[in-house]
Amino acid sequence: MTVFFKVLSVLIVAVGAFLVYGAGFLAGRTKTDGGIVSRPNHCEKDGSFSDDAGNEYEDYISRKSLSFKQMGLLLIMLGSISVLIAFR
């Protein structure tokens, strides 16, 4: 039972670290409530990006990334406490 608790506590820390360091990647791969957020498209006239679509996409990525990082930090804290208890 103690080996299981040790492995589980280290695994929780590893999952938390993945969430913190992979937040940008995970935020880009998630869906919104209404569908997939698309990347900003080129304007057909002058070839530039649309500011509104670009800002919306950047804001979405920032919010999702922050959410993943918060969850990851909570898991790291939980895992750290359980590692201290398991390996005392």
Side-chain angles (χ1 to χ4, degrees):
M1 188 66 176
T2 59
V3 173
F4 175 72
F5 187 58
K6 289 178 182 180
V7 170
L8 183 65
S9 61
V10 171
L11 187 65
I12 290 172
V13 171
V15 168
F18 175 74
L19 282 176
V20 170
Y21 293 113
F25 172 74
L26 293 173
R29 298 287 180 184
T30 57
K31 293 183 179 180
T32 62
D33 295 334
I36 298 173
V37 172
S38 61
R39 292 184 182 256
N41 295 328
H42 284 301
C43 282
E44 293 162 2
K45 295 179 186 174
D46 57 359
S48 64
F49 288 107
S50 171
D51 289 338
D52 294 336
N55 288 340
E56 180 183 333
Y57 182 74
E58 295 290 327
D59 290 343
Y60 169 76
I61 295 296
S62 296
R63 284 192 314 266
K64 278 296 198 183
S65 178
L66 183 63
S67 174
F68 282 126
K69 286 185 181 208
Q70 287 175 340
M71 183 60 70
L73 286 174
L74 289 175
L75 283 174
I76 288 174
M77 289 184 344
L78 174 68
S80 299
I81 292 170
S82 62
V83 162
L84 290 174
I85 292 171
F87 288 97
R88 64 180 161 117

